[in-house]
Amino acid sequence: MDKIKLLQERRAAVLAAGSEVRKAIAALVDAESFVELAGFSFSKNDFYGKEVAGEGVVTGFATVGGFPVYLAAQNYDIMHGGMSAANCAKILKCLELAEKNSTPVVYILNSLGVQVGEGVTALEGLAGLLSKAAKLHGVVPQFAVVNGEVYGQGALLAACADFTFFMKGGVLAADSPLVISAKSGQNLSKEKVGGAEALAQTSLVSFETEDMAQVMEKIEKILSVLPEYTSVVVENGADLNAAFPSLNEKCEGKDLIEAVFDADSYVEVGVGCPEVRCVLGRVGGISVASLVFEGEGPVLLDERNVAKALAFAEFAAYYDLPFVTFVDAAGVLPDLKTNDSLVLKNIFKLFETYGMMENAKISVVYKNAIGLGYSLFAAKSAGFDYVYSFANAKIALFDGAKGAAVEFAEERADEAKLAARYADETSDPINAAKNGYVDNIIEPQFAKQYLIASLQMLLK
C-alpha cells in the first residue's frame, strides 16, 4: 500500500469537504497562520450510512492581528453542520488546549442542530462541550461568529461567548425558526425570528459585520486592550494634557467618547439598548472599559439595559479592566412590564459584581445621577474610587420638586417644603461634594485630563 498516496487522497477529501469553511478561516486569521488540529478525523454516521470527513468541524490555532487564538469552525457542507459526539469531542479538545495555554477562542458557527441518529450520545457530547465553554467563561475571551444558521443547543456557544458577531444573513435560535414561528401563531421569516435585528435586545448581538475582515479588526482591537494579552499602558502618542473646549458647549455621549478615548483605540460593543453604550478602549494609553449613558433625559433602568451594563461590568471584572461610568441615569422605569421582570435581580447582581472588582472604578456624572442612578453608577459606597461631576450636572434623590411631590403624594407632604428641598438650585453637585461624595467638580473640557491622572494613581 502506498501510504503517501493514501495520505494525499485522505487529505484531498478533507480539504474538499471543508473548502468553504476554510475560506472563512483564511479571511479571519493572519495569512498562512492557521494550523489544523485533528484534521484526519473521520466517523461513520449509521443513520445516513456514510463516512463524515473531518467530523463536520475544522479546529486548529492561528493568529489574529498577531494574537494567538484557537478556532473551531462548523462546516455546514457536512450534514448541515450537524453536531455529533465526535464533533463535540473535537471542539472540546480545542477548548482544553485554550485553557491550558490561556489563549482566546473563536467559534465560527453554522449548524442546523444535532446530527440525526446520534441520540443521547450527542447530548452527552454537547453537555461536555458546553460545560467546558462555561468553565472558560471569564478565564479566556471567547468570540462567536454567527456565519449562517445556528439552531438548537449549539446556539449556547454564542450565549457563552463574550462577544458575538452576526454576519450578514446570520440567524441564531434555540429551535428551528419554523417551529418557533408556528408555536407563536405567526408566519415569520427566519430573520424575523433570529436575525441580528430580531435579537437586538437580548444582549446576544455584540456586532453586526459585513465580512470576516471586520470581525478580524474588532477581535484584534479588543485583545489589544485586555491586560492579559497586552500591556495595560501603552505609548500611543495620545496627548495626556489635551483639553476639549467644545465639551463645555455641547456634551452628549458621542462627544464624550470621541474626546476622552484615544483616537482609533476604542470599539463599542452591543447593538441593543443604545441608551447604555459599552466602550472598550484606551484613555491616555491606559486600558479602560466604560459605560456611557445617553438618552433624551436621564436614562431609566429596565431589565434589558441593566443586563447589558451587568454583562459588561462582569467582563471588566474578569479581565481587571479599569471601569469608568459616564452617568446620566435615574431610577427604574415605572411601568408594569419592568416591574414584572428581572430588573431588580440584575441590579443586585451589578452591586455584587462591583464587590468582586479589584480594578479601578471611576465615575463621572456628566448630566444626571438621580436616585438609583446615583447609587448604582456613582456612589462611593458602591465602590467607586473617584467620583467627578461636571459643574452643570445634577445629583439628587428625586428629579426635581415635581418628582418628590409625586413620590410623597399619599403622605400629603408639604409641597412648599418639598419644592425648597428638591429645587434645581439645591440639586447641583456642590451639595454632594460638601459631604465628600464627589471628589471634584470639573469643567467638561478637562474630563480626559482628570481621568488619566486618576487612572495613573489607581493602576496596580
Side-chain angles (χ1 to χ4, degrees):
M1 178 184 293
D2 187 339
K3 295 293 184 71
I4 299 297
K5 184 178 179 180
L6 178 61
L7 171 64
Q8 292 172 342
E9 289 174 352
R10 301 205 81 181
R11 183 60 180 166
V14 169
L15 292 175
S19 59
E20 289 303 311
V21 74
R22 290 172 196 281
K23 289 178 185 177
I25 293 172
L28 175 62
V29 306
D30 297 334
E32 299 184 8
S33 69
F34 180 65
V35 177
E36 189 168 355
L37 298 171
F40 291 96
S41 179
F42 285 69
S43 66
K44 183 73 174 293
N45 185 292
D46 293 330
F47 188 83
Y48 289 104
K50 65 179 181 180
E51 196 173 47
V52 180
E55 310 296 359
V57 62
V58 177
T59 60
F61 56 89
T63 59
V64 174
F67 294 99
V69 300
Y70 282 94
L71 289 105
Q74 292 177 323
N75 184 2
Y76 189 81
D77 291 335
I78 298 293
M79 295 187 179
H80 300 119
M83 301 188 75
S84 64
N87 179 301
C88 292
K90 190 172 176 179
I91 303 174
L92 179 59
K93 287 180 181 178
C94 195
L95 298 189
E96 289 170 345
L97 288 168
E99 180 180 34
K100 180 179 180 180
N101 298 308
S102 298
T103 303
V105 177
V106 180
Y107 307 103
I108 299 177
L109 304 177
N110 194 356
S111 170
L112 296 189
V114 179
Q115 281 188 27
V116 177
E118 282 269 329
V120 177
T121 303
L123 298 180
E124 282 288 343
L126 277 163
L129 168 59
L130 294 170
S131 295
K132 176 59 73 175
K135 185 179 179 183
L136 289 185
H137 186 65
V139 177
V140 300
Q142 296 180 71
F143 303 90
V145 183
V146 179
N147 193 38
E149 299 175 69
V150 184
Y151 306 144
Q153 292 187 43
L156 289 168
L157 288 173
C160 180
D162 299 290
F163 304 97
T164 302
F165 302 83
F166 271 66
M167 301 293 285
K168 192 172 183 178
V171 179
L172 182 80
D175 207 325
S176 163
L178 288 174
V179 173
I180 293 173
S181 182
K183 291 289 185 181
S184 303
Q186 301 182 66
N187 184 19
L188 302 173
S189 67
K190 60 187 179 183
E191 289 80 12
K192 290 289 185 182
V193 173
E197 185 176 346
L199 300 178
Q201 304 300 321
T202 63
S203 297
L204 286 170
V205 187
S206 303
F207 306 98
E208 292 182 76
T209 45
E210 290 290 325
D211 53 37
M212 286 294 180
Q214 288 186 357
V215 177
M216 179 184 188
E217 177 189 356
K218 293 189 184 300
I219 290 177
E220 179 183 355
K221 191 164 282 190
I222 290 167
L223 293 178
S224 72
V225 173
L226 299 186
E228 183 80 13
Y229 303 99
T230 186
S231 175
V232 70
V233 184
V234 299
E235 293 289 339
N236 61 1
D239 184 354
L240 305 187
N241 295 305
F244 298 87
S246 61
L247 291 182
N248 281 6
E249 305 299 323
K250 178 175 177 280
C251 188
E252 302 300 330
K254 178 177 180 291
D255 306 311
L256 263 179
I257 292 169
E258 291 179 353
V260 168
F261 284 89
D262 302 342
D264 298 322
S265 77
Y266 64 90
V267 58
E268 186 172 349
V269 180
V271 302
C273 306
E275 69 275 17
V276 177
R277 304 178 69 170
C278 301
V279 185
L280 281 172
R282 291 186 181 271
V283 177
I286 302 171
S287 296
V288 164
S290 179
L291 290 179
V292 182
F293 290 83
E294 184 175 40
E296 295 292 327
V299 173
L300 292 170
L301 307 178
D302 61 26
E303 179 182 14
R304 291 169 175 173
N305 58 33
V306 174
K308 182 179 181 181
L310 171 63
F312 195 63
E314 287 177 336
F315 181 81
Y318 291 145
Y319 296 101
D320 288 326
L321 283 166
F323 188 66
V324 179
T325 60
F326 291 96
V327 186
D328 182 17
V332 174
L333 179 65
D335 66 10
L336 283 173
K337 181 180 178 182
T338 302
N339 194 58
D340 184 23
S341 75
L342 293 173
V343 65
L344 295 180
K345 281 286 190 182
N346 285 338
I347 288 169
F348 168 75
K349 288 180 180 178
L350 189 48
F351 275 118
E352 188 177 34
T353 300
Y354 289 161
M356 295 187 297
M357 280 184 175
E358 296 182 358
N359 39 318
K361 293 184 286 297
I362 301 171
S363 178
V364 179
V365 180
Y366 84 103
K367 284 192 176 180
N368 299 275
I370 298 168
L372 183 61
Y374 171 83
S375 302
L376 191 55
F377 300 108
K380 289 275 192 179
S381 298
F384 285 92
D385 300 289
Y386 294 129
V387 178
Y388 299 109
S389 175
F390 288 178
N392 54 353
K394 183 176 182 179
I395 299 175
L397 181 59
F398 298 108
D399 190 9
K402 181 182 281 189
V406 171
E407 186 76 17
F408 291 107
E410 293 184 6
E411 300 179 22
R412 298 182 181 180
D414 188 315
E415 291 190 17
K417 289 183 178 180
L418 286 176
R421 174 167 290 187
Y422 296 107
D424 286 341
E425 57 265 28
T426 64
S427 297
D428 66 45
I430 292 292
N431 290 282
K434 284 179 180 177
N435 294 313
Y437 301 135
V438 171
D439 292 295
N440 212 333
I441 301 169
I442 64 177
E443 291 183 43
Q445 66 171 322
F446 301 125
K448 184 168 185 173
Q449 293 180 19
Y450 275 89
L451 275 177
I452 292 171
S454 303
L455 289 164
Q456 288 174 338
M457 289 301 297
L458 292 169
L459 287 179
K460 297 175 183 177

